[in-house]
Amino acid sequence: MENFDKKIAFIGCGNMGKALASAISAAGFGDDLLFCDHTMNKAQSLAEQLGGTASELEKIVKEGYFIFLAIKPQGLESLFSEISEKLQTRKDRFILVTMAAGVEMETIQNLSGQCDCPVIRIMPNTPVTLGEGTILYCTNDKITDKDKEEFLKILSKSGVVDFIPEDKIDAASALTGCGPAFVYMFAEALADGAVECGLPRDKAMLYAAQTLLGSAKMLMQSGKHPGKLKDEVCSPGGTTIQGVHALEMGAFRGVSASAVTAAYEKTLKINHLTTKTVL
């Protein structure tokens, strides 16, 4: 973005913070990054890899425009006890970006001491590291169209960045956040089946991964219902329909759907406990 002279700050340099910062750097904003972590060697290492600067927390709070809170929910209360007063004294505009699972924007607002600032809540997943992730986001009413434009621009190399109402973000993240684990299990199972049929393990894993990748692209780019695409592979009396029958006998679709709903139900339980702890 032309004339973007704002600092993009990360409090926390763990796996997800690193993944998001990598995507922001890939989008051309590496020089605008500030990093802070309770282990400053982590922040320094990330700054060396991606550009930007390792900074003390006070500098982050003073100079950050987009301030990414890349820490676990249980660390929020302690963090805001250090920074809320400093945030309240700022006269310039800044945006808090929270990715703490189960913590609503209202809670972030309360922890900040009712700081009257824009808040963006995001739920990213691990493929963000490769620029093929999904980032769900919602905003409070302080966010402007320009804020959204800048936010989407700095994350333009992360994958799909999609707005969703906050009351739906937990359900969506049960799919996008937990889904990669389910897909990896399916890939491993496909490869196991091929190994059982006599294929070397390395070939089986390569073919399973590429099959999933190609199929996902077909689903996204064709615009066709997955059932339609499945039917196009299944010849009458052929091998594929025999395999589909085996999956149906094992309740494949029902179990897959149950995996998402189970993750969602667990999220609701964690959210209830987390909110009580944070507040």
Side-chain angles (χ1 to χ4, degrees):
M1 185 173 293
E2 294 183 6
N3 301 321
F4 186 87
D5 58 354
K6 300 165 183 175
K7 293 300 182 182
I8 304 164
F10 278 82
I11 300 176
C13 298
N15 291 335
M16 193 52 69
K18 180 179 179 180
L20 288 167
S22 297
I24 292 171
S25 180
F29 298 96
D31 292 342
D32 302 304
L33 288 164
L34 297 175
F35 300 104
C36 178
D37 193 272
H38 65 276
T39 305
M40 284 306 291
N41 286 342
K42 241 188 219 185
Q44 186 63 49
S45 176
L46 202 51
E48 291 171 0
Q49 291 177 46
L50 303 178
T53 308
S55 304
E56 296 296 330
L57 182 59
E58 185 172 350
K59 181 179 177 68
I60 293 277
V61 175
K62 182 180 179 181
E63 298 183 9
Y65 183 77
F66 286 104
I67 303 177
F68 283 78
L69 308 175
I71 62 174
K72 296 184 183 301
Q74 55 267 35
L76 286 173
E77 189 171 15
S78 174
L79 172 66
F80 275 103
S81 69
E82 293 187 61
I83 69 173
S84 61
E85 288 187 11
K86 296 181 178 67
L87 291 175
Q88 291 173 56
T89 61
R90 282 188 62 164
K91 304 300 182 183
D92 58 329
R93 186 174 179 80
F94 64 93
I95 299 171
L96 296 177
V97 185
T98 173
M99 63 187 80
V103 180
E104 296 180 350
M105 291 182 286
E106 183 181 0
T107 302
I108 297 297
Q109 204 87 51
N110 292 337
L111 287 171
S112 71
Q114 294 299 329
C115 185
D116 191 27
C117 66
V119 179
I120 301 176
R121 179 181 174 187
I122 65 173
M123 288 303 296
N125 65 6
T126 53
V128 166
T129 306
L130 304 177
E132 294 290 350
T134 304
I135 299 178
L136 312 171
Y137 80 97
C138 53
T139 68
N140 69 358
D141 58 7
K142 305 296 181 183
I143 293 289
T144 67
D145 289 341
K146 183 180 179 181
D147 294 332
K148 289 182 183 179
E149 180 187 353
E150 292 178 340
F151 173 72
L152 294 174
K153 187 67 175 180
I154 66 173
L155 291 174
S156 61
K157 297 297 183 181
S158 61
V160 173
V161 184
D162 194 51
F163 176 83
I164 189 167
E166 188 169 30
D167 64 354
K168 297 292 189 294
I169 200 167
D170 289 329
S173 65
L175 171 58
T176 62
C178 305
F182 308 152
V183 172
Y184 300 145
M185 291 177 69
F186 183 44
E188 184 182 27
L190 290 175
D192 284 348
V195 170
E196 186 177 359
C197 294
L199 204 64
R201 172 63 65 176
D202 59 340
K203 296 289 188 184
M205 289 304 305
L206 172 63
Y207 300 158
Q210 183 60 41
T211 298
L212 290 175
L213 178 63
S215 300
K217 286 185 175 181
M218 280 284 289
L219 183 59
M220 292 190 72
Q221 294 178 17
S222 71
K224 295 179 181 179
H225 189 281
K228 173 64 175 173
L229 290 171
K230 179 262 294 178
D231 288 347
E232 290 176 358
V233 185
C234 295
S235 302
T239 56
T240 306
I241 194 64
Q242 189 77 15
V244 168
H245 183 206
L247 288 174
E248 295 287 18
M249 290 293 290
F252 174 73
R253 285 191 286 187
V255 168
S256 298
S258 292
V260 176
T261 57
Y264 174 59
E265 289 167 1
K266 179 66 172 180
T267 300
L268 295 181
K269 292 179 182 178
I270 292 175
N271 290 358
H272 177 67
L273 293 174
T274 300
T275 301
K276 287 175 63 178
T277 300
V278 169
L279 292 178

